[in-house]
Amino acid sequence: MQPVAITAAEFAQFQKFIFEAAGITLSDAKKALVTGRLGKRLAAHGLESFGAYFKLIASGQQPQEMQTAVDLLTTNETYFFREIKHFEFMRAQALAARSRPEPYRVWSAASSSGEEAYSMAMVLADCMQTTPWEILGTDISTRMIEGARRGLFSMERGRHIPPEYLRRFCRKGTGNYDGMLLVDRSLRSKVLFRHLNLNAALPQLGLFDLVFLRNVMIYFNQDTKRDVVARVISTLKPGGYFCIGHSESLNDISSAVRMVAPSIYQKPL
């Protein structure tokens, strides 16, 4: 079957849709991505145009299909221990907090399929000893959250896991799961994953010692960046730390935190 082409007007509809749903700005260069990711949904519903598919999700008659479209347009690939310096920094901060009685709380605010949150969990399980700790992983994609909870990944995604962590915290797949790794149940039970849209008012999450919001701001326009960053920083404890992607910047975005190292910021006490 010949792939369905998307017209400029149809693409503009999806640009507006994902901006309103998630604050994400799709450039014209993403037309092939939209066509590739949503094309199978046209086939699943027996539709002959992207315009017809847009009408389906815009009608509100199938809210789950609207969420499916959001999932497909917001999914980004990640891997364990991406940008390792942030995890080294996190370890140092966690060790410094090890003697206190209250839990050390960390938020992976754009956790995608869970590799970032589980990398955090490996670090904290290794260094916190008897000090309690909590990790929250959130994402706008319900499909990503469901996958993250399973904790099953390709070995390729785990290529940067330190060998000692791989041995302690992961199980190697066999048979039908050859080439896969499973995060150990004891670690999975320590990470809470939930669906959350950063482009809307946040629910009550409590305050965090450390928040990662990495490699997502590149998809937002300047105003959306300011709004999202302000919401996320509001959940930081005074003195807490905020990490963004190494290729990102808070210039003209926020003055509520100060840089302490490249891509690492602190909220004043």
Side-chain angles (χ1 to χ4, degrees):
M1 183 177 176
Q2 193 73 13
V4 179
I6 189 169
T7 67
E10 290 169 339
F11 181 67
Q13 288 179 313
F14 285 102
Q15 285 177 305
K16 183 180 179 183
F17 163 74
I18 201 60
F19 179 78
E20 292 178 349
I24 291 175
T25 301
L26 285 179
S27 69
D28 290 344
K30 299 293 185 181
K31 189 176 290 187
L33 179 145
V34 172
T35 303
R37 292 191 176 182
L38 298 185
K40 291 181 180 179
R41 303 310 301 159
L42 270 66
H45 290 282
L47 301 173
E48 296 184 354
S49 72
F50 284 92
Y53 181 66
F54 181 81
K55 286 182 180 178
L56 172 69
I57 61 175
S59 69
Q61 296 176 357
Q62 296 194 28
Q64 186 54 48
E65 188 62 36
M66 178 181 287
Q67 182 62 52
T68 297
V70 170
D71 289 354
L72 290 171
L73 293 177
T74 57
T75 299
N76 301 294
E77 186 174 0
T78 185
Y79 52 86
F80 286 89
F81 289 93
R82 182 178 185 181
E83 298 180 354
I84 187 64
K85 289 190 179 299
H86 287 152
F87 295 99
E88 294 169 350
F89 177 82
M90 174 187 173
R91 180 182 179 85
Q93 296 306 313
L95 286 171
R98 196 161 61 178
S99 60
R100 74 186 201 188
E102 68 269 21
Y104 188 78
R105 302 192 71 232
V106 179
W107 179 18
S108 171
S111 62
S112 188
S113 43
E115 290 92 334
E116 180 177 272
Y118 285 128
S119 299
M120 292 172 157
M122 291 179 193
V123 172
L124 295 186
D126 181 42
C127 73
M128 293 303 277
Q129 296 180 347
T130 59
T131 303
W133 52 273
E134 300 172 4
I135 293 177
L136 173 66
T138 64
D139 200 84
I140 193 173
S141 169
T142 55
R143 186 167 62 95
M144 288 292 104
I145 290 299
E146 290 167 3
R149 289 179 180 136
R150 287 194 295 272
L152 184 67
F153 303 94
S154 69
M155 289 296 293
E156 174 63 20
R157 296 280 185 93
R159 65 191 181 278
H160 296 299
I161 299 176
E164 174 66 10
Y165 285 2
L166 193 63
R167 182 186 66 81
R168 288 176 57 189
F169 302 123
C170 303
R171 300 292 174 263
K172 186 176 181 180
T174 59
N176 292 337
Y177 294 99
D178 186 44
M180 307 291 287
L181 67 85
L182 179 68
V183 176
D184 189 75
R185 183 187 299 273
S186 63
L187 206 66
R188 297 201 310 273
S189 67
K190 295 283 288 182
V191 183
L192 174 65
F193 287 103
R194 62 183 288 185
H195 173 254
L196 189 145
N197 186 352
L198 296 172
N199 200 41
L202 298 179
Q204 291 295 320
L205 301 175
L207 295 178
F208 297 92
D209 295 281
L210 176 68
V211 176
F212 280 20
L213 180 70
R214 308 190 306 166
N215 305 305
V216 290
M217 282 194 291
I218 55 174
Y219 299 104
F220 300 149
N221 66 25
Q222 201 75 350
D223 288 339
T224 304
K225 288 178 185 178
R226 293 190 186 100
D227 291 343
V228 168
V229 168
R231 289 188 195 100
V232 174
I233 289 176
S234 73
T235 71
L236 270 179
K237 295 177 181 179
Y241 293 94
F242 181 60
C243 294
I244 62 176
H246 288 312
S247 63
E248 298 172 316
S249 170
L250 292 187
N251 291 341
D252 299 322
I253 300 297
S254 176
S255 59
V257 289
R258 63 180 184 88
M259 182 186 289
V260 296
S263 71
I264 301 174
Y265 298 79
Q266 185 178 30
K267 190 173 187 176
L269 289 167

